[in-house]
Amino acid sequence: MSSFLDTITNYAGDQLTGHVVIPPRIAQFGRWGEWVPDSVRSALEGAGAGTPWVHQARAADLVHGGHNVVVATGTGSGKSLAAWVPALSAIASAREATSLATARSRPTVLYLGPTKALGADQEDSLTKLAAAVDPRIGVATVDGDADGSTRVWARQSADIILSNPDFAHFGLLGRPELWQRLWRGLHIIVIDEFHSYRGSFASNVALVVRRLLRVARHYGADPRVVFLSATAYQPAISAQRFLGDAFGPVLAVDNDGSPAGQRDILTMVCREVPGGHDPVINEDGAVADIRRRAANTEAGELTAKLVSSGARALTFVRSRPGTERVAEVSREYLAESAPHLEGTVAAYRGGYLPEERRELEAQLRTGDLRGLATTSALELGIDISGLDAVVVTGWPGTRASFQQQIGRAGRAGTGGLAVLIGRDNPLDQYILTHPESLAQGNPEMSVFDPTNPWILPGHLCAAATEVPLTAADIDVFSLDSTEPFEELAETGLLKERPTGWYWNPSIKVNPHDMVDIRGGGTTVSIIDSESGALLGTVDESRADYSVHPGAIYLHQGVPYLVESLDGDIALVHQHREEEIRTFARDETVVDILTTEETIELPWGTWNRGEVVVQSRVVGYDIRRVKDGMFIGTVPLEMPVRRLQTSGVWMTIKDSVISNADIIAADVPGTLHATEHTMIALLPLFATCDRWDIGGLSTAVHVQTAMPTIIVHDAMAGGSGCARRGFTAGIDWLKATLDTLEACDCLHGCPRCVQSPKCGNNNEPLDKHGATTLLRHLVGYSPGN
């Protein structure tokens, strides 16, 4: 590995901003419990897992003992065996019985993974292990792609069903009477990659899992839940919030006993290019005053350099088009420097056919491919290991994701090498100037709220069709009373009867269709008016901003001009004139509905509560691509969008602003710049990115009558991000200040105060004022 480290050091030179060394970890072994049958022990020996690591043995013992467990350990630590050993042990023991009654109620296991690819990968390894235990053990993958015969066989014969939350909701719970054998024997539910669940998706899946457990109880089973997670902050608290209190406590196993070699992590800034002080529109659409090479270009060349030096490398990229670009740059570089390796780099992303992805995975394992540019599709548990180096193009959003990605290099106890290339945004720049943060501090807290009033009603309606709701379900859904059931009955969706609340059969809607598992909402189709081709889709919530009339929409690098936006259709045609880009302008008002908590501070107040966000796109700016020159503004009349959600806000005393020597004319830009950077840094403390949150700053808020900065969740009912920001408090403000002070620009740039999602096109912004203000706030705060 040292030679590859030298390769990067020699190539990047003064672009490297830090070198973090994670020391090696020695193995801690345990012992499988006496309860493990001989057939399972023999299969484990054959798979090289006869002697478990301590966390595997501990977790398996707890699951066998009837406990819900969350296993939170590193990449490549064999977490899944903590679930499969007790599961296969229970199934194998039951298989030894021959009575018809036992056959009808023998243990079953349900596995839920967030992606289809992950489930397919689990099937490959699990089928081999199960066959070694007992060839009669049936393993089936059942999802939306499964054909009718596979589903029938799974219902009648499978002992272990591998699926995803979407099929669990629509396929299993949508027709629960068809899956009675699964419910009666349900012994364990496995929730894989638990750390990846956040926001509305996590809230929805939590409610799906509670409904699964509820139906299983109805049929006489009492399954345990096993959560498999990367290293996480307070995993037991997150898992308990996910499961609720009705199904028992969740115990955490987070003492990772697997061995790990030394891990070297390098942080790298993009190279400044000649003429680098000329204004330019960067990758996120903001105008930068210092021009640097694109992170994807850096990643492509670095990948090629590693491949040409003999390394096998995996490069993570933030977007699907980005993977194609990185692979293209790598191949072009290799075509000139090492032509015999040009065909050894490829892209891997969602949208490829399953067989294409499988072929790429196989080629990477065998070494036919030396480099692969991928989205986070290869972050989750898929069996790709033993690589020499990992390149991470831009901070992936959470420490858990970062650890999963860099863990692909040097698994199974050998050393690993990783490079983080920073993009032009405040969070990446903070990490580049604080590389030690990669090895210090706790992972972010997972944020989600299963009681979200915008999400819960659909699940209650679906649950009423599965098993009628009763007062006993108050605890299942973390409610205080049956009032939500009664409210749904008042609207006519449910019918109240002496035995409970039932779905109203006169409503000609499938209640399961009322639940949006992935939280994407409805989408707008983008259609080329000249060819009739469907170019893509955009979430309805973003359509006003990205495909409004007159907008420039990019598809695979080709600009299209939006002709019209009508309902769920946006018509576009290719824009063949001078290259321009458009940036939507909006007006936003945030009203405070309720204040749930307030902390009085020397400089003002720190608050959280419920807010209502009203926003409307009022026009768009036009800029020339080659130099960022402002061409003009076009007015628009778009509808007002209303969002009720959770927020965190701070008010600042006029005397503090005066003492900081910030004049009245500079206050709006000061607050605006502070707001932008705070939003960009919140993902340090919560599992979110800045597209999950929004904000508003104003010199005088109509309700507080003071200078005010509000940061709010971008999801109806709240996602938990704002609440986590409230808890982070002064640490959040300190990180914001550090980012501003570390950025070497003069007036503000995408690396500190500019935001690609700003509805006012980053005007006004006062970086100096924001830095001065935060110095006063941090200095005034308790403990400083």
Side-chain angles (χ1 to χ4, degrees):
M1 186 191 69
S2 60
S3 62
F4 301 135
L5 180 61
D6 291 340
T7 296
I8 296 174
T9 302
N10 293 334
Y11 169 77
D14 59 7
Q15 288 179 255
L16 298 177
T17 67
H19 180 183
V20 178
V21 178
I22 309 296
R25 182 180 63 232
I26 62 171
Q28 300 177 60
F29 294 103
R31 179 178 302 176
W32 295 120
E34 297 298 325
W35 49 269
V36 179
D38 291 341
S39 59
V40 177
R41 290 180 182 275
S42 177
L44 291 169
E45 290 283 356
T51 301
W53 292 313
V54 64
H55 65 273
Q56 294 172 315
R58 171 64 177 159
D61 282 342
L62 289 173
V63 175
H64 175 73
H67 298 281
N68 301 309
V69 177
V70 55
V71 187
T73 54
T75 307
S77 60
K79 292 182 284 286
S80 59
L81 283 182
W84 297 135
V85 169
L88 291 171
S89 296
I91 294 169
S93 298
R95 280 277 185 181
E96 295 178 3
T98 58
S99 70
L100 181 60
T102 302
R104 284 177 175 169
S105 61
R106 67 174 181 258
T108 57
V109 177
L110 176 62
Y111 164 96
L112 298 179
T115 66
K116 292 179 182 178
L118 189 57
D121 193 75
Q122 279 286 336
E123 182 181 20
D124 291 343
S125 58
L126 179 59
T127 299
K128 295 175 184 176
L129 183 61
V133 173
D134 186 335
R136 297 174 298 172
I137 295 177
V139 179
T141 295
V142 187
D143 54 30
D145 295 336
D147 57 29
S149 60
T150 298
R151 299 186 190 195
V152 170
W153 183 85
R155 288 196 293 265
Q156 296 176 349
S157 305
D159 299 286
I160 301 174
I161 292 177
L162 308 176
S163 191
N164 54 53
D166 311 80
F167 189 82
H169 170 69
F170 290 106
L172 302 181
L173 292 169
R175 296 292 301 277
E177 71 280 359
L178 297 179
W179 299 88
Q180 292 186 39
R181 194 183 66 81
L182 170 67
W183 308 128
R184 288 196 179 98
L186 194 55
H187 185 60
I188 294 173
I189 298 178
V190 182
I191 311 295
D192 202 359
E193 302 295 342
F194 176 59
H195 66 277
S196 69
Y197 291 90
R198 75 182 198 202
S200 63
F201 183 46
S203 300
N204 277 296
V205 177
L207 292 167
V208 168
V209 170
R210 296 185 195 193
R211 287 164 44 214
L212 291 168
L213 291 166
R214 179 175 174 268
V215 171
R217 278 188 175 179
H218 175 73
Y219 283 94
D222 186 24
R224 299 298 89 194
V225 181
V226 182
F227 300 87
L228 306 179
S229 172
T231 303
Y233 180 61
Q234 297 182 333
I237 292 177
S238 294
Q240 194 72 66
R241 185 167 72 253
F242 186 95
L243 194 60
D245 296 328
F247 302 102
V250 181
L251 304 180
V253 175
D254 53 8
N255 177 26
D256 193 339
S258 63
Q262 176 176 307
R263 194 169 304 283
D264 290 83
I265 306 172
L266 303 175
T267 53
M268 175 178 165
V269 66
C270 293
R271 188 176 308 163
E272 188 173 328
V273 299
H277 291 273
D278 296 330
V280 65
I281 298 179
N282 79 342
E283 293 171 287
D284 283 331
V287 180
D289 58 358
I290 297 178
R291 184 177 182 183
R292 296 184 181 275
R293 293 213 303 175
N296 288 344
T297 303
E298 294 283 9
E301 289 196 4
L302 182 58
T303 301
K305 195 71 178 177
L306 286 165
V307 167
S308 63
S309 66
R312 286 199 302 155
L314 192 61
T315 300
F316 286 96
V317 191
R318 294 300 303 273
S319 68
R320 291 181 179 185
T323 64
E324 303 287 355
R325 176 57 182 159
V326 168
E328 179 185 34
V329 170
S330 291
R331 288 191 291 263
E332 290 173 351
Y333 189 95
L334 290 170
E336 294 184 4
S337 61
H340 63 291
L341 295 174
E342 182 182 357
T344 64
V345 176
Y348 178 107
R349 59 174 176 80
Y352 286 178
L353 295 174
E355 52 268 29
E356 291 178 307
R357 293 199 301 267
R358 288 294 183 197
E359 178 63 21
L360 289 169
E361 292 166 19
Q363 290 178 355
L364 189 60
R365 291 189 189 104
T366 60
D368 292 336
L369 276 179
R370 307 295 300 177
L372 202 60
T374 179
T375 58
S376 59
L378 279 182
E379 172 189 321
L380 304 178
I382 297 172
D383 186 19
I384 298 290
S385 59
L387 302 174
D388 299 303
V390 166
V391 178
V392 181
T393 314
W395 181 247
T398 68
R399 285 185 173 90
S401 291
F402 182 69
Q403 292 298 330
Q404 287 286 94
Q405 292 181 3
I406 68 173
R408 291 298 185 186
R411 295 174 78 172
T414 61
L417 175 62
V419 184
L420 172 66
I421 300 176
R423 299 174 76 233
D424 273 351
N425 64 63
L427 182 53
D428 283 31
Q429 297 306 307
Y430 175 86
I431 294 168
L432 291 184
T433 55
H434 298 77
E436 70 283 355
S437 66
L438 297 174
Q440 299 173 355
N442 294 314
E444 307 87 349
M445 170 70 83
S446 294
V447 291
F448 55 89
D449 180 11
T451 64
N452 184 311
W454 298 89
I455 292 176
L456 182 59
H459 286 273
L460 295 179
C461 290
T465 69
E466 297 151 9
V467 179
L469 294 166
T470 69
D473 291 312
I474 292 174
D475 289 339
V476 170
F477 296 106
S478 302
L479 301 172
D480 296 324
S481 68
T482 61
E483 183 177 352
F485 307 163
E486 295 161 4
E487 290 176 349
L488 289 170
E490 290 175 4
T491 64
L493 293 173
L494 299 184
K495 288 284 189 180
E496 183 176 2
R497 295 185 178 135
T499 54
W501 287 266
Y502 294 71
W503 174 249
N504 185 351
S506 66
I507 304 292
K508 303 305 180 184
V509 173
N510 182 344
H512 292 79
D513 291 336
M514 297 169 61
V515 173
D516 182 8
I517 295 290
R518 302 277 171 174
T522 57
T523 59
V524 172
S525 298
I526 303 165
I527 296 175
D528 185 345
S529 63
E530 296 176 340
S531 67
L534 174 65
L535 299 180
T537 61
V538 63
D539 290 344
E540 183 184 39
S541 61
R542 295 295 308 164
D544 288 358
Y545 292 85
S546 56
V547 289
H548 56 75
I552 294 295
Y553 169 76
L554 291 179
H555 177 68
Q556 295 183 353
V558 178
Y560 288 80
L561 179 67
V562 179
E563 302 171 6
S564 64
L565 172 61
D566 185 8
D568 59 356
I569 298 291
L571 293 179
V572 304
H573 64 260
Q574 192 168 337
H575 182 70
R576 298 177 176 87
E577 300 172 18
E578 181 183 22
E579 277 204 77
I580 59 172
R581 296 293 181 266
T582 55
F583 305 92
R585 281 186 172 273
D586 71 2
E587 290 179 349
T588 300
V589 175
V590 181
D591 294 324
I592 299 168
L593 284 184
T594 62
T595 302
E596 297 174 5
E597 194 169 354
T598 295
I599 299 174
E600 297 287 344
L601 294 167
W603 46 262
T605 63
W606 187 253
N607 316 266
R608 71 171 184 87
E610 293 297 307
V611 299
V612 172
V613 183
Q614 297 184 80
S615 60
R616 181 171 69 95
V617 172
V618 296
Y620 61 94
D621 288 353
I622 305 173
R623 289 185 181 272
R624 195 162 60 193
V625 170
K626 64 181 180 181
D627 56 8
M629 178 181 174
F630 175 75
I631 296 175
T633 298
V634 178
L636 287 173
E637 290 193 12
M638 304 293 284
V640 175
R641 308 293 183 181
R642 187 177 187 275
L643 174 74
Q644 184 172 329
T645 189
S646 298
V648 53
W649 62 93
M650 63 178 182
T651 64
I652 305 165
K653 295 177 180 178
D654 290 327
S655 59
V656 173
I657 291 178
S658 177
N659 290 340
D661 294 327
I662 299 171
I663 63 174
D666 293 338
V667 171
T670 293
L671 299 178
H672 194 194
T674 304
E675 171 213 333
H676 277 190
T677 315
M678 287 179 67
I679 288 173
L681 270 294
L682 183 54
L684 277 178
F685 307 96
T687 51
C688 64
D689 62 37
R690 62 172 156 190
W691 296 98
D692 296 327
I693 44 185
L696 174 80
S697 55
T698 176
V700 182
H701 190 274
V702 67
Q703 290 171 280
T704 67
M706 297 172 68
T708 303
I709 295 174
I710 302 174
V711 176
H712 59 81
D713 295 338
M715 185 179 91
S719 62
C721 298
R723 182 163 189 160
R724 180 59 183 156
F726 177 83
T727 303
I730 187 63
D731 291 335
W732 184 13
L733 296 183
K734 285 179 178 177
T736 303
L737 175 60
D738 286 349
T739 299
L740 293 172
E741 291 182 328
C743 187
D744 57 4
C745 73
L746 295 177
H747 305 295
C749 69
R751 294 183 295 277
C752 56
V753 300
Q754 291 182 6
S755 169
K757 56 179 290 192
C758 179
N760 292 311
N761 282 299
N762 291 298
E763 297 173 358
L765 290 175
D766 187 337
K767 176 189 175 183
H768 175 73
T771 305
T772 302
L773 175 64
L774 283 166
R775 284 173 181 159
H776 277 71
L777 301 190
V778 169
Y780 267 123
S781 297
N784 290 281

